[in-house]
Amino acid sequence: ACFSAAYFADVCFRASRKQLWFDELLTVFIAKLASVHDIWQALATSAPDHNPPLVYILTRASMALFGESGIAIRLPAIVGFWVMALAVFLFVAKRTSAFFGLLSILFISSTAAYDYAYEARGYAVVLGLCGAALLSWQVAASTGSPLRRCFALLSLALCLAASLFTHYFGLLVFVPIVCGEIARSIVRRRLDAPVWIAVAAGLLPVAALLPLLRAARAYPVPYWAAPEWSKLVHFYLCVLGVGVSMLLFTAANSWIVWRRPTVERPKEPVRREWAAAFGLMACPAITLALAASLHSAAAPRYALPAVIGFAIALSFGAYAIGKPIAALTSICIVLSFGASWLMRDRVVWFARPG
């Protein structure tokens, strides 16, 4: 509750002060077309922006309800990031504790992902759907209640489908679910058919999106977004932001503490969820591979779901090692969070309107 209150207060302030930039103006322009049918037709033909329609429809609904203020235009992103934070907190806390759940969302808030929490594009919405899909999969894989499992599977399928309707690289949301479920199947030595059916159902929007995909591929790839493997390190640095130094510092100290035989370690989280986290951490590499194979553009922001994987792995790792590294991780995350907060404050204050 405290995080939610602080988050909405901060992000709404930033959204109200930040000027709309070119990509956000494109979102507003398409969202203000006469009807949803016109939005679809524009995206399938001559629209200057080529994303799936959901982000424009959500922005259109937000403006219809709350007007055309900076907050209203960016409300889908604001809510999307909050949903992601809540889902990741619950995902991590289930295997560790509320303390580590909070650490995970503080880490995410110290990365570049937070900058998209108040931007009228689809990236934060994809993050929200990714968090919700992870949580739904966790519930579906571990609950003993048939009714609860049914709702979890339905939620999983809807989140996966919605991610494709938000951004074409929403396909990355499938990665942790597939990786985690493969690991689970290996341990169980059998497939969980309903989970795989839910994953397959999430792919159904692809057929409807084919006309839009053809229109998007007709545009040339800009020079700055050409997929090149030499950009892989750059992708990770852009996605993680100041969190990179904190990750490296914590990893080094984790290795030192882990080698001490006297450290009492709690039981580590379920391995299938480690596999899901590693799948997410590979998103920048998968983004470049997909873009290169499809001859499409690739930007670091397309791989933002990676921050969720790093947050989960960091929290799980600190929990598995025990109290010494947990305290160290807490200090690192707080310092990283504060540093990123101060840098964003400079941007917001110097970007005042007028």
Side-chain angles (χ1 to χ4, degrees):
C2 293
F3 173 83
S4 295
Y7 166 74
F8 281 112
D10 177 69
V11 82
C12 287
F13 169 75
R14 295 175 188 275
S16 67
R17 308 299 291 179
K18 181 184 174 184
Q19 299 279 9
L20 294 174
W21 72 292
F22 180 75
D23 283 10
E24 291 181 296
L25 291 172
L26 290 177
T27 301
V28 174
F29 172 77
I30 295 174
K32 292 176 70 174
L33 293 176
S35 66
V36 173
H37 179 264
D38 288 340
I39 291 176
W40 186 278
Q41 288 298 111
L43 295 174
T45 53
S46 58
D49 197 18
H50 288 282
N51 285 313
L54 186 56
V55 66
Y56 308 111
I57 295 170
L58 292 175
T59 305
R60 177 187 182 88
S62 180
M63 291 191 297
L65 290 171
F66 305 110
E68 297 184 18
S69 67
I71 295 175
I73 291 170
R74 297 177 172 117
L75 189 59
I78 293 171
V79 174
F81 189 94
W82 176 77
V83 169
M84 179 273 298
L86 180 62
V88 171
F89 172 84
L90 294 173
F91 185 92
V92 171
K94 182 177 176 64
R95 302 301 181 197
T96 57
S97 67
F99 171 77
F100 290 98
L102 180 61
L103 284 185
S104 66
I105 59 176
L106 286 178
F107 170 76
I108 292 173
S109 299
S110 72
T111 68
Y114 195 84
D115 296 327
Y116 295 92
Y118 47 97
E119 181 166 306
R121 301 295 282 170
Y123 311 115
V125 178
V126 170
L127 287 175
L129 292 167
C130 183
L134 274 173
L135 185 61
S136 300
W137 169 70
Q138 184 187 59
V139 172
S142 58
T143 186
S145 167
L147 182 61
R148 193 179 180 201
R149 176 174 161 84
C150 182
F151 278 114
L153 290 171
L154 178 61
S155 173
L156 174 61
L158 290 175
C159 288
L160 292 175
S163 69
L164 291 177
F165 260 103
T166 303
H167 196 277
Y168 295 120
F169 279 90
L171 187 64
L172 296 174
V173 177
F174 287 74
V175 172
I177 309 302
V178 171
C179 290
E181 195 57 29
I182 289 174
R184 179 169 173 251
S185 299
I186 292 172
V187 172
R188 298 173 74 239
R189 297 186 178 180
R190 65 181 187 274
L191 297 177
D192 188 343
V195 172
W196 288 107
I197 291 172
V199 173
L203 289 170
L204 292 177
V206 172
L209 292 172
L210 283 177
L212 279 63
L213 278 166
R214 283 193 289 267
R217 292 195 64 186
Y219 275 69
V221 176
Y223 72 91
W224 54 266
E228 300 170 0
W229 285 107
S230 59
K231 296 179 180 179
L232 182 59
V233 174
H234 171 71
F235 267 49
Y236 276 101
L237 292 175
C238 288
V239 166
L240 292 171
V242 296
V244 171
S245 57
M246 186 272 293
L247 272 173
L248 294 175
F249 184 67
T250 304
N253 283 276
S254 298
W255 182 79
I256 294 170
V257 174
W258 184 261
R259 290 179 60 87
R260 291 170 53 191
T262 57
V263 174
E264 182 180 353
R265 306 182 183 101
K267 185 179 179 181
E268 63 176 331
V270 179
R271 289 179 181 177
R272 61 175 178 261
E273 291 164 12
W274 273 106
F278 287 135
L280 281 167
M281 291 162 65
C283 278
I286 296 172
T287 298
L288 285 172
L290 284 173
S293 62
L294 298 173
H295 305 287
S296 67
R301 57 184 178 268
Y302 299 170
L304 281 178
V307 302
I308 299 176
F310 279 101
I312 293 171
L314 186 68
S315 301
F316 280 5
Y319 174 78
I321 292 175
K323 292 181 180 179
I325 199 62
L328 178 63
T329 303
S330 305
I331 295 170
C332 290
I333 288 178
V334 169
L335 291 175
S336 177
F337 184 67
S340 63
W341 200 280
L342 288 173
M343 286 191 288
R344 290 191 187 101
D345 279 341
R346 292 184 63 187
V347 172
V348 169
W349 286 109
F350 282 106
R352 289 181 180 181

